[in-house]
Amino acid sequence: MLQASDWRPSTVSNESKVEMVTQVCKEEYMSAGCIDWVKVSKLTGLNQLECMAVCDMEDYKSQWIYDADTFSWDDANRMTDFIAANYPGTLPVNYRAVSNYMWIKIGDCINMHNMLQGKFRCTNAVMDRIVQMRSQGHTFRYIANQLSPLLDASTVNNAYSRHTRVHTPISEEEKQRITELVDKYVDKVPVKEVMKKVKSESASWSYSVTQFASAYIQNHAYYRKRLVGMDLTEITDRILSGKLTIKQAAAELDITSTLLGNVIRLMKIRDYSSKWTAAETEQLIAYVRALGNEKPDWVYCARLIGTKHYTQCRKKFASLKNTNSI
């Protein structure tokens, strides 16, 4: 098993490494039908892990699409062992290296790795599958197993419930009544009590009304004005150090968690480098390509990359698209 310590400094530029290693790997693959990374390492003068991190032969690789009936833990464990050995702790995973080690397309490696971490993204296509299986009488446990090897049944249940919940349209009169009630109490009771007061004076209540009222309260001008006048230095340090959650801090300051969260997220962006490495860019491109026609979830994408904020991911994608790089 390769180790992170296998890396050694090199004076060769990254572009030259990609061209050199890829050419050697193609010749090796065409002649032997596979790649001997020990041989490639000797021919290029780079270590094995570095060769895997730059070799660009995506078109030659196999796909790895999860199928509950054919899924093999042998392959899954082989990939997770490689990642654990070479990218320990918070070290960002180079999925090109993983892809070359497994000889599986990079997008499929990313998706499988997330599945093996128990992560779940409910896209429109996934929800269509869930709805179809439920209509056939399958349990949430069965459905979860069909979607991912480590997916919890309750997660699927919750996603399905949110999808099938009936949303009753709110009339303009109802919206006006709710906003007037919220305006009446925002400066008179703590923020956590506003919704209770509004509900107590409402003859009827529905999920749609709750959503509307919550959104109006969370972004109310009264709390925005209060937030502007606050010194958030000390409480921000506590949040970023993990001593306090945004929800707890919002309750302490008596402002909404949405507005405070927006401020904290802006501060977090400053901790991320504005420069994109080749590995980060490739992970972004692989994620978007793996989606097909699905709309990207930039928060999820940022978690995959691990070293960029979701707004940086969105802007980088727009930049790549404008320059026809993707």
Side-chain angles (χ1 to χ4, degrees), residues 273-288 296 298 301-302 305 307-326:
S273 171
S274 60
K275 295 182 179 180
W276 282 73
T277 65
E280 290 170 339
T281 302
E282 185 166 21
Q283 286 179 230
L284 172 68
I285 293 174
Y287 165 72
V288 174
W298 296 119
C301 179
I305 296 174
T307 53
K308 287 291 181 279
H309 192 268
Y310 71 88
T311 56
Q312 291 176 297
C313 295
R314 184 176 64 237
K315 290 178 181 178
K316 181 64 173 179
F317 171 71
S319 175
L320 291 171
K321 198 172 182 180
N322 289 337
T323 57
N324 296 318
S325 300
I326 186 172

Side-chain angles (χ1 to χ4, degrees), residues 27-219:
E27 293 173 0
E28 174 74 5
Y29 186 80
M30 293 305 177
S31 64
C34 61
I35 295 179
D36 182 341
W37 293 105
V38 174
K39 183 177 179 180
V40 172
S41 176
K42 291 179 180 178
L43 290 172
T44 60
L46 305 174
N47 66 64
Q48 292 180 57
L49 188 59
E50 192 170 11
C51 290
M52 291 180 190
V54 298
C55 176
D56 186 10
M57 291 182 60
E58 194 69 7
D59 293 340
Y60 297 84
K61 297 173 185 174
S62 303
Q63 288 185 298
W64 192 8
I65 299 173
Y66 175 73
D67 184 319
D69 296 327
T70 61
F71 177 73
S72 167
W73 277 105
D74 290 339
D75 290 337
N77 291 334
R78 181 168 169 255
M79 181 177 70
T80 54
D81 287 347
F82 176 82
I83 292 174
N86 295 291
Y87 306 101
T90 59
L91 190 66
V93 178
N94 185 310
Y95 283 102
R96 178 183 279 189
V98 177
S99 173
N100 282 320
Y101 175 74
M102 298 295 296
W103 205 245
I104 291 171
K105 291 185 178 297
I106 189 171
D108 291 345
C109 286
I110 292 174
N111 289 336
M112 187 59 69
H113 187 217
N114 284 310
M115 283 187 181
L116 296 174
Q117 292 178 304
K119 296 178 181 178
F120 173 64
R121 180 169 179 258
C122 191
T123 63
N124 292 335
V126 170
M127 182 50 67
D128 288 343
R129 287 189 64 194
I130 294 174
V131 171
Q132 180 183 31
M133 285 187 278
R134 280 298 289 173
S135 69
Q136 295 169 347
H138 295 298
T139 65
F140 287 116
R141 167 52 57 198
Y142 173 85
I143 296 172
N145 186 58
Q146 293 300 306
L147 297 175
S148 176
L150 295 176
L151 185 58
D152 188 82
S154 62
T155 301
V156 179
N157 190 351
N158 292 336
Y160 180 79
S161 297
R162 287 193 298 271
H163 176 78
T164 56
R165 186 180 287 130
V166 177
H167 294 258
T168 306
I170 308 175
S171 66
E172 291 303 315
E173 291 77 12
E174 182 75 353
K175 290 180 180 179
Q176 182 63 30
R177 184 181 66 82
I178 294 297
T179 56
E180 288 176 353
L181 285 173
V182 172
D183 292 342
K184 176 182 175 181
Y185 287 111
V186 286
D187 60 348
K188 294 181 175 64
V189 299
V191 61
K192 64 181 181 180
E193 300 293 331
V194 175
M195 183 71 85
K196 295 178 183 178
K197 289 291 185 181
V198 174
K199 281 186 176 182
S200 69
E201 295 192 24
S202 300
S204 60
W205 201 261
S206 67
Y207 176 79
S208 297
V209 173
T210 299
Q211 293 295 94
F212 176 79
S214 177
Y216 186 64
I217 292 170
Q218 287 292 323
N219 294 283

